[in-house]
């Protein structure tokens, strides 16, 4: 089921790339990305104990940051400019940077947990 869904999605994305000009292609694909990111955030928040592990938190933070960036982009594309646009963009990009840094720190800690080299004498 998973592979079939991904194959169909890949085919649809390829169709968007082939049949639409680059500006419309970006609008369509980034709108889909944003919807999927927020769908993940909603389902993950509702159905999973994501707060219970650092891995769960980093998944949630990154998905929410991607959703924020996508929302900022598509808002401008679909509805035009708005007040504080540059500040909102800076906030959303900062959120993604921090979520990716959090991911790296969590990964590093996980990979070095119970590592003989990290033990203090």
């Amino acid at each position: 089921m998973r592979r079939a869904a991904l194959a169909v999605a890949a085919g649809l994305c390829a169709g968007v790339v082939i049949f639409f000009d680059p500006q419309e292609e970006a609008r369509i694909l980034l709108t889909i990305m944003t919807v999927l990111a927020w769908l993940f955030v909603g389902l993950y928040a509702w159905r999973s104990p994501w707060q219970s592990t650092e891995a769960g938190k980093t998944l949630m933070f990154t998905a929410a940051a991607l959703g924020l960036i996508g929302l900022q982009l598509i808002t401008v594309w679909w509805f035009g400019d708005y007040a504080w646009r540059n500040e909102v963009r800076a906030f959303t990009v900062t959120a993604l940077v921090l979520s990716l840094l959090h991911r790296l720190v969590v990964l590093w800690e996980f990979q070095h947990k119970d590592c003989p080299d990290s033990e203090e004498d």
Side-chain angles (χ1 to χ4, degrees), residues 10-54:
L12 291 172
C13 289
V16 169
V17 171
I18 292 168
F19 294 111
F20 290 92
D21 66 87
Q23 187 69 22
E24 287 301 309
E25 166 198 317
R27 286 182 181 187
I28 293 166
L29 293 177
L30 284 168
T31 299
I32 293 168
M33 179 206 74
T34 303
V35 169
L36 292 174
W38 286 116
L39 184 60
F40 178 88
V41 168
L43 289 173
Y44 199 45
W46 178 47
R47 306 262 313 173
S48 300
W50 62 271
Q51 309 95 327
S52 63
T53 66
E54 287 302 310

Side-chain angles (χ1 to χ4, degrees), residues 40 44 49-65 99 102-103 106:
F40 178 88
Y44 199 45
W50 62 271
Q51 309 95 327
S52 63
T53 66
E54 287 302 310
K57 291 174 189 175
T58 195
L59 278 172
M60 179 62 88
F61 297 159
T62 305
S99 73
H102 181 259
R103 230 175 215 225
V106 168

Side-chain angles (χ1 to χ4, degrees), residues 94-114:
T94 300
L96 182 59
V97 166
L98 293 175
S99 73
L100 291 172
L101 178 60
H102 181 259
R103 230 175 215 225
L104 285 171
V105 170
V106 168
L107 176 64
W108 189 87
E109 288 174 349
F110 181 75
Q111 288 178 339
H112 290 84
K113 187 177 182 182
D114 299 328

Side-chain angles (χ1 to χ4, degrees), residues 58-79:
T58 195
L59 278 172
M60 179 62 88
F61 297 159
T62 305
L66 285 171
L68 286 172
I69 285 178
L71 190 60
Q72 192 275 331
L73 286 169
I74 66 172
T75 300
V76 172
W77 284 347
W78 294 111
F79 304 111

